[in-house]
Every structure is written in C-alpha cells, then in structure tokens.
Amino acid sequence: MTDNDAISTSERKRGSGVKMVYDLLRDEILDLVLPPGSPIDEVQLAERFKMSRTPIREALVRLAGEGLIDTLPNRSTMVSNIDFLNMHTFFDALVLMYRVTTRLAAQYHRIEDLQVIRGHQAEFAAAVAAQDALAMIATNAAFHSAIADAGRNAYFTGLFNRLLDEGRRILRLYYQSYEDRLPQRFVDEHEDIIAVIAARDTEAADRLATIHAEQIVQQIQKLFARGGKLNIAL
Amino acid sequence: MTDNDAISTSERKRGSGVKMVYDLLRDEILDLVLPPGSPIDEVQLAERFKMSRTPIREALVRLAGEGLIDTLPNRSTMVSNIDFLNMHTFFDALVLMYRVTTRLAAQYHRIEDLQVIRGHQAEFAAAVAAQDALAMIATNAAFHSAIADAGRNAYFTGLFNRLLDEGRRILRLYYQSYEDRLPQRFVDEHEDIIAVIAARDTEAADRLATIHAEQIVQQIQKLFARGGKLNIAL
DNA sequence: TGCATAATTTTTGTCGACAAATAATATGCA
DNA sequence: TGCATATTATTTGTCGACAAAAATTATGCA
C-alpha cells in the first residue's frame, strides 16, 4: 500500500490514464515489485489511481496481450508466472535474437545509430564501475535494444524486447551474484561488438554476439545450478 | 453491410462477446474483407453485434496490440497498412522462423506431432489438387504452424504465427497467380521436410526449410516484380 | 458433527449516459 | 467572394451502476 499515484481527478489529460497505469504496472511486474502470482484487483487499482475501472481494464487487457498477466474468465487475474521448466526455450530464443539483431545492425546501421549505442555502452560501463547490479541489467538491455533498433527489423526488435523484458524479471531474482568479475568482461565484449558493427563485418558480428549471448546464458544457468536464494519475497 | 452476426441479446454467454468480435474482425482483416485503411467504427460494430461499446473496445485493444489496427488518440481507428517499403524485413523474419521452427521440430517433436503435421500436409495436397488458392494459403500456414508447435518454443511460435498472419494478408492480394505449377513442388518439399523431421536430422531440416522458405519468398517477390494487379478493391 | 443445499458477498463483464476532443458546418466581416 | 472565427455535430474516453458468475458463508437435515 504505497501512497497516491493519483493526480487531482480532472487535472489529467484525456487518454493518459491508461498509459500511466499500463507503464506503472508493467514496471512493477518487471521489477518484481509485483512478483509472479500477485493478484491484480481492478477496484483497488481504480481507487489507487482515482479513476474508474474502465481505463484500468484497458491497461490490463494490454498487459495480458503481452503475457505479463494471466486472466481467467470471471475469475481473478494475476501476474503471470515465470516458466522455469521451459527456461531453455527462453535461452534459445534469446541467443538467436542476440545473433540476428547484431548481424543486422552490422548490415543496416546508420552512422547516427552508433552514437546511441555508444551512449548506452558508456552507461553500462558506469554501472559496472559503480557495481550497481540493477543498473547493469537495465543499461545492458538498453545497449542491446539499441543495436536491434539499428538492424531495422520490427519483427525481430519486437520479439527481442519481449525477451529482454522477461530476462529482466529473471535476473531480478538473482542480481546479487552479479558482483563478481564477469561484468568487466561484458564491457570489453560490448566494445568489440561495437567495433565489428561499425566495420560492417556481419560474420564477425554474428560470431561475437553468439559468444556474448552464450556467456550470459551460462552465467544465468550457473546461478540456477547454484540454487541461488531469491532475495525478493515471494 | 452484411446482415446480422448478432445473437438474441441475452442468449449470449458472459465473456463470449469479446472473443466473437475479436475473431471475426481478425478474420475480416486477414482476408482483406476489411482492406488496409478501412475505418473501424465502434458504434457501428456495437449495432452490428447488438452489444454495448465496451466489449467492442476491448476487442479493438487486443487487435491493436497485435498491430492489426492502428488507433490514433481521440481520432478514428483503422485497419493497419501493409508496409510494402520494408517488405524485406518481413521476408528475413519469415525465412529465419521457417528455419528455426523446422530445426526445433526435428529436435523436440513427439511421435504424435507427426500425425498432426501429416494431416495438414494431406489437406494442403488436396487444396493443390483442387487448385483452390485460398485453401492452399490456409493449409500451408497450418502445416508450418503445426511444425512450429512440435518445436515447443512459445517465443518462436508466437512470432511465427504473426508472420504467417501477415503473410496471409499479403498473399490475398495476389492469390490468383498461385495457379501455376509451383504448388506441386511445395507438396513434394513438404514431404521431404516431414521425412527429415521424423528422422530427427536437424541439419537437413534446417537446410530444407531454408530452401523451401526462400522459394516461397522468391515466388512472392516475383509477383511483386510482375506488378500483379490487386484483385480486391482498395 | 458432517455434509449438502441455500443465502450472501465479492468480483467481473456489460450497459447506457455524459463529457472532452476533434471534425464539420455555419456565421460574420473585410 | 474569401477567410477567420464561432457554432454545431460526431466520435472517443470515462464514469457510475447494474447483472451474471463464482467464492464464501450460513443454514438445514441426517
């Protein structure tokens, strides 16, 4: 029960309510503020945001469309679970999208894209230097998302961003273990990836992205094998 | 203005209205009964289905989430356009998903999956024999979708099904030219693909799927180059 | 007491109505 | 007549209320 996210009722612009609820709920789900299985109560949200149930429901329909919440008809709706049993399907998809988007970035990027990518890389390096695990997760995702954008294929960027979101949820479960030496290696690999993209070397981009992605996957799998404790209450 | 799709108002079950509107609009969009750019009028739909605007709007939000309609705030909503300029991104994604899903099917399928796949292949062959172009499109999509299901990766099947839907819209524009000899070749290639899946030969599956997909892409691109006339009024 | 059925409460899905935002039309003035 | 402003009309977004479905609690009977 945090205090009010609500704006004085009629101070709000006419279609902004839905987006506000959608964005905030999405963040709370991905940050595990609302852990998997949390019940979503429409009237509670309506009171919290000081609006009627209609815009709340629209936001929920959108979230359900992205698979972030599950709605059983005439029954409660709740934050969707993380499918640990089929985690390998997530890894398969993630590695492939890392490869494909990086390859396409090498092929289709424009010069101005590199500026954006380098900006995210700088933020990622700063997060590593500061040993801020949550910032690492966020800036790493932004870095790779920017690369995907440079590849200019909306179908791939769409799936990739979904995967990065899901990865954000998974990593939140284990982020304390990101304090070892590996992140510095990621920084270096990012630099190499930027270089081959700038050189438009598609094969090298594919190769480096594959290695990089598999390293990340191994990192996560190691955490699972170690049976890492969740540091967020479920 | 076709006649009523409506059921006597209170004869309808409680959450079925949304699904009905969603399914029907989706079909009409993919079949180009509602061509790109068609305006979507909420009150008109509400009258047509004899229900209030609320469930109509929910169906529209879902469709917008899948990119099938575009909604500009406080303004009209319309069927989304087909992006002919970036068609190559569609082809790239389609070919890759053909490859990946077929490869995974060879790796992870269960015996009962093959029954389903063979069933769709039989229907496809029948459509080719009958020279029914629309049925070819539908059964071909069902065949490959079943292969994707056998690969058991929800991330890939999700994207793939979206691509097949979009392809359905594109092919509708040109389906008259499907009456030449190529389809029989597709039937044969399908048989080969089934064989390598059953043999769990992932490399061969990858190779055959690539060839098959690129053939389909070339077929479509030839139609574009030929400047084929649209046989549906825009 | 134990269990099946009935009454109550809670929550979701739908409705009709109103208000804001935009489009369309009309009015006034040079 | 031509154009800017004002008026009207249309359409979307939001609201409060009601009804159906399910969950919960209460009641009756052995």
Side-chain angles (χ1 to χ4, degrees), chain B residues 171-199:
Chain B
L171 286 177
R172 287 278 158 149
L173 291 172
Y174 295 97
Y175 67 82
Q176 75 281 13
S177 66
Y178 247 15
E179 290 157 14
D180 52 25
R181 289 292 130 242
L182 265 170
Q184 183 54 46
R185 178 168 186 176
F186 288 158
V187 175
D188 298 338
E189 290 186 357
H190 281 186
E191 293 293 346
D192 296 341
I193 288 174
I194 293 175
V196 295
I197 289 175

Coordinates of all heavy atoms in Angstrom, one line a residue, chain B residues 171-199:
Chain B
L171 N -0.6 -12.5 -49.3 CA -0.9 -13.4 -50.4 C -2.3 -13.2 -50.9 O -2.5 -13.4 -52.1 CB -0.7 -14.8 -49.9 CG 0.8 -15.3 -49.7 CD1 0.8 -16.6 -49.1 CD2 1.5 -15.2 -51.1
R172 N -3.2 -12.7 -50.1 CA -4.5 -12.5 -50.6 C -4.5 -11.5 -51.7 O -5.4 -11.5 -52.6 CB -5.4 -11.9 -49.4 CG -5.8 -13.0 -48.4 CD -7.0 -13.8 -48.9 NE -7.0 -15.0 -48.2 CZ -8.1 -15.7 -47.9 NH1 -9.3 -15.2 -48.2 NH2 -8.1 -16.8 -47.3
L173 N -3.6 -10.6 -51.7 CA -3.5 -9.6 -52.7 C -3.2 -10.2 -54.1 O -3.5 -9.6 -55.1 CB -2.4 -8.6 -52.4 CG -2.7 -7.6 -51.2 CD1 -1.4 -6.8 -50.9 CD2 -3.8 -6.7 -51.5
Y174 N -2.6 -11.4 -54.1 CA -2.1 -11.9 -55.3 C -2.5 -13.4 -55.6 O -1.9 -14.0 -56.4 CB -0.5 -11.8 -55.3 CG 0.0 -10.4 -55.2 CD1 0.3 -9.9 -54.0 CD2 0.1 -9.7 -56.4 CE1 0.8 -8.6 -54.0 CE2 0.6 -8.4 -56.4 CZ 0.9 -7.8 -55.1 OH 1.4 -6.6 -55.1
Y175 N -3.5 -13.8 -54.9 CA -3.6 -15.3 -54.9 C -3.9 -15.9 -56.3 O -3.8 -17.1 -56.4 CB -4.6 -15.7 -53.9 CG -6.0 -15.3 -54.1 CD1 -6.8 -16.1 -55.0 CD2 -6.6 -14.3 -53.5 CE1 -8.1 -15.7 -55.2 CE2 -7.9 -13.9 -53.7 CZ -8.7 -14.7 -54.6 OH -10.0 -14.3 -54.8
Q176 N -4.4 -15.1 -57.2 CA -4.7 -15.7 -58.5 C -3.5 -16.3 -59.2 O -3.7 -17.2 -60.0 CB -5.4 -14.6 -59.4 CG -4.4 -13.6 -60.0 CD -4.0 -12.5 -59.0 OE1 -4.3 -12.7 -57.8 NE2 -3.4 -11.5 -59.5
S177 N -2.3 -15.8 -58.9 CA -1.2 -16.3 -59.6 C -0.7 -17.6 -59.1 O 0.4 -18.1 -59.5 CB -0.1 -15.2 -59.6 OG 0.4 -15.1 -58.3
Y178 N -1.4 -18.1 -58.1 CA -0.9 -19.4 -57.5 C -1.4 -20.6 -58.3 O -1.3 -21.7 -57.9 CB -1.5 -19.5 -56.1 CG -0.4 -19.5 -55.0 CD1 0.9 -19.1 -55.3 CD2 -0.6 -19.9 -53.7 CE1 1.9 -19.0 -54.4 CE2 0.4 -19.8 -52.8 CZ 1.6 -19.4 -53.1 OH 2.6 -19.4 -52.2
E179 N -1.9 -20.3 -59.5 CA -2.4 -21.4 -60.3 C -1.5 -22.0 -61.2 O -1.8 -22.8 -62.1 CB -3.7 -20.9 -61.0 CG -4.8 -20.6 -60.1 CD -5.8 -19.6 -60.7 OE1 -5.7 -19.3 -61.9 OE2 -6.6 -19.0 -59.9
D180 N -0.2 -21.7 -61.1 CA 0.8 -22.3 -62.0 C 1.3 -23.6 -61.4 O 0.7 -24.2 -60.5 CB 1.9 -21.4 -62.3 CG 2.5 -20.8 -61.0 OD1 2.4 -21.5 -59.9 OD2 3.1 -19.7 -61.0
R181 N 2.4 -24.1 -61.8 CA 2.9 -25.4 -61.4 C 3.6 -25.5 -60.1 O 3.9 -26.6 -59.6 CB 3.8 -26.0 -62.5 CG 3.1 -26.4 -63.8 CD 2.1 -27.6 -63.5 NE 0.8 -27.3 -64.1 CZ -0.3 -27.2 -63.3 NH1 -0.2 -27.5 -62.0 NH2 -1.4 -26.9 -63.8
L182 N 4.1 -24.4 -59.6 CA 4.9 -24.4 -58.4 C 4.3 -25.2 -57.2 O 5.0 -25.9 -56.5 CB 5.3 -23.0 -57.9 CG 6.6 -22.5 -58.4 CD1 6.8 -21.0 -58.1 CD2 7.7 -23.3 -57.8
P183 N 3.0 -25.0 -56.9 CA 2.5 -25.7 -55.7 C 2.8 -27.2 -55.6 O 3.1 -27.7 -54.5 CB 1.0 -25.5 -55.8 CG 0.9 -24.1 -56.5 CD 2.0 -24.1 -57.5
Q184 N 2.8 -27.9 -56.7 CA 3.2 -29.3 -56.7 C 4.6 -29.5 -56.1 O 4.8 -30.4 -55.3 CB 3.1 -30.0 -58.0 CG 3.3 -31.5 -58.0 CD 2.4 -32.2 -57.0 OE1 1.2 -31.9 -56.9 NE2 3.0 -33.1 -56.2
R185 N 5.4 -28.6 -56.4 CA 6.8 -28.7 -55.9 C 6.8 -28.5 -54.4 O 7.5 -29.1 -53.6 CB 7.6 -27.5 -56.5 CG 9.0 -27.5 -56.0 CD 9.9 -26.6 -56.9 NE 11.3 -26.6 -56.4 CZ 12.2 -25.9 -57.1 NH1 11.9 -25.2 -58.2 NH2 13.5 -25.9 -56.7
F186 N 5.9 -27.6 -53.9 CA 5.8 -27.3 -52.5 C 5.3 -28.6 -51.8 O 5.8 -29.0 -50.7 CB 4.8 -26.2 -52.2 CG 5.3 -24.9 -52.5 CD1 4.4 -23.8 -52.8 CD2 6.7 -24.6 -52.6 CE1 4.9 -22.5 -53.1 CE2 7.2 -23.4 -53.0 CZ 6.3 -22.3 -53.2
V187 N 4.4 -29.3 -52.4 CA 3.9 -30.6 -51.8 C 5.0 -31.5 -51.6 O 5.2 -32.1 -50.6 CB 2.8 -31.2 -52.7 CG1 2.4 -32.6 -52.2 CG2 1.6 -30.3 -52.8
D188 N 5.9 -31.7 -52.6 CA 7.0 -32.6 -52.6 C 8.0 -32.2 -51.5 O 8.4 -33.0 -50.7 CB 7.7 -32.7 -53.9 CG 6.8 -33.2 -55.0 OD1 5.8 -33.9 -54.7 OD2 7.1 -32.9 -56.2
E189 N 8.2 -30.9 -51.4 CA 9.2 -30.4 -50.4 C 8.6 -30.6 -49.0 O 9.4 -30.9 -48.1 CB 9.5 -28.9 -50.6 CG 10.3 -28.6 -51.9 CD 10.7 -27.2 -52.0 OE1 10.3 -26.4 -51.2 OE2 11.4 -26.9 -53.0
H190 N 7.3 -30.4 -48.9 CA 6.7 -30.7 -47.6 C 7.0 -32.2 -47.1 O 7.3 -32.4 -46.0 CB 5.2 -30.5 -47.6 CG 4.8 -29.0 -47.5 ND1 3.5 -28.6 -47.4 CD2 5.6 -27.9 -47.5 CE1 3.5 -27.3 -47.4 NE2 4.8 -26.8 -47.4
E191 N 6.8 -33.1 -48.1 CA 7.1 -34.5 -47.8 C 8.5 -34.7 -47.3 O 8.8 -35.4 -46.3 CB 6.8 -35.4 -49.0 CG 5.3 -35.4 -49.5 CD 4.4 -36.1 -48.4 OE1 4.9 -36.8 -47.5 OE2 3.2 -35.9 -48.5
D192 N 9.4 -34.1 -48.0 CA 10.8 -34.2 -47.6 C 11.1 -33.7 -46.2 O 11.8 -34.2 -45.4 CB 11.7 -33.4 -48.6 CG 11.6 -34.1 -50.0 OD1 11.2 -35.2 -50.1 OD2 12.0 -33.4 -51.0
I193 N 10.4 -32.5 -45.9 CA 10.6 -31.9 -44.6 C 10.1 -32.8 -43.5 O 10.7 -33.0 -42.5 CB 9.9 -30.5 -44.6 CG1 10.7 -29.5 -45.4 CG2 9.8 -30.0 -43.1 CD1 10.0 -28.2 -45.6
I194 N 8.9 -33.4 -43.8 CA 8.3 -34.3 -42.8 C 9.3 -35.5 -42.5 O 9.6 -35.9 -41.4 CB 7.0 -34.9 -43.3 CG1 5.9 -33.8 -43.3 CG2 6.5 -36.0 -42.4 CD1 4.6 -34.2 -43.9
A195 N 9.9 -36.0 -43.6 CA 10.8 -37.1 -43.5 C 12.0 -36.8 -42.6 O 12.4 -37.6 -41.7 CB 11.3 -37.6 -44.9
V196 N 12.6 -35.6 -42.8 CA 13.8 -35.3 -42.1 C 13.5 -35.0 -40.6 O 14.3 -35.2 -39.7 CB 14.7 -34.1 -42.7 CG1 15.2 -34.6 -44.0 CG2 13.8 -32.9 -42.8
I197 N 12.3 -34.4 -40.4 CA 11.9 -34.2 -39.0 C 11.7 -35.5 -38.3 O 12.2 -35.7 -37.2 CB 10.5 -33.4 -39.0 CG1 10.7 -32.0 -39.4 CG2 9.9 -33.5 -37.6 CD1 9.5 -31.2 -39.5
A198 N 11.0 -36.5 -39.0 CA 10.8 -37.8 -38.4 C 12.1 -38.5 -38.1 O 12.3 -39.2 -37.1 CB 9.9 -38.6 -39.3
A199 N 13.1 -38.2 -39.0 CA 14.5 -38.8 -38.8 C 15.3 -38.1 -37.8 O 16.4 -38.5 -37.5 CB 15.2 -38.9 -40.1

